[in-house]
Amino acid sequence: MNRPSFKTLIHFSNDDIRVIEIKRLDLPETTEKSDLFHWLLINKDHSIQKLTFVAMSEDSKFQTREFKEGKLRFDDMQGFYDADTSHALKSCRANDLPDTLVSLLENYFT
């Protein structure tokens, strides 16, 4: 069996989008962080947009990840992705991805 090329670290979704943080497993640990870790926005049509990481912060309630394309605020149960529109998201188990999405991501990274 082939070793997976990535590990899902964070996963939020609703009926329209998924926001996922991926760590590449097929690259050496000495690889630049921007190539090793990927934040991806996946639309319901399965189009993938790589989010450009800018900064991260945390307060007493939420963690925040800022991207050039938008902002994700989240805790263990829910998230909110704000770009042109705002999306309420539910937290999903990190590696609980449908097989079709795993295949889509494997193809994206090859």
Side-chain angles (χ1 to χ4, degrees), residues 38-68:
H38 297 263
W39 281 95
L40 303 171
L41 174 68
I42 303 168
N43 290 297
K44 65 181 173 183
D45 68 358
H46 288 183
S47 61
I48 299 175
Q49 177 184 10
K50 183 173 181 184
L51 300 174
T52 308
F53 182 81
V54 175
M56 63 189 259
S57 61
E58 185 174 356
D59 61 29
S60 61
K61 184 163 169 75
F62 286 101
Q63 293 188 47
T64 302
R65 302 296 185 271
E66 292 183 44
F67 310 100
K68 286 184 180 177

Side-chain angles (χ1 to χ4, degrees), residues 2-25:
N2 291 340
R3 181 176 174 218
S5 66
F6 66 88
K7 176 181 177 182
T8 307
L9 303 176
I10 295 175
H11 177 197
F12 290 95
S13 72
N14 66 19
D15 290 339
D16 296 321
I17 67 168
R18 293 177 189 265
V19 178
I20 300 175
E21 182 184 23
I22 300 289
K23 179 181 180 187
R24 299 279 305 265
L25 300 176

Side-chain angles (χ1 to χ4, degrees), residues 78-106:
Q78 63 186 342
F80 302 93
Y81 182 73
D82 298 312
D84 294 336
T85 59
S86 183
H87 299 271
L89 305 165
K90 69 174 186 163
S91 177
C92 302
R93 289 189 336 197
N95 284 308
D96 191 16
L97 300 178
D99 290 341
T100 54
L101 188 55
V102 171
S103 295
L104 180 74
L105 291 169
E106 289 284 356

Side-chain angles (χ1 to χ4, degrees), residues 23-40:
K23 179 181 180 187
R24 299 279 305 265
L25 300 176
D26 58 344
L27 300 173
E29 287 292 324
T30 55
T31 303
E32 290 288 325
K33 284 187 178 184
S34 61
D35 292 327
L36 201 57
F37 295 93
H38 297 263
W39 281 95
L40 303 171

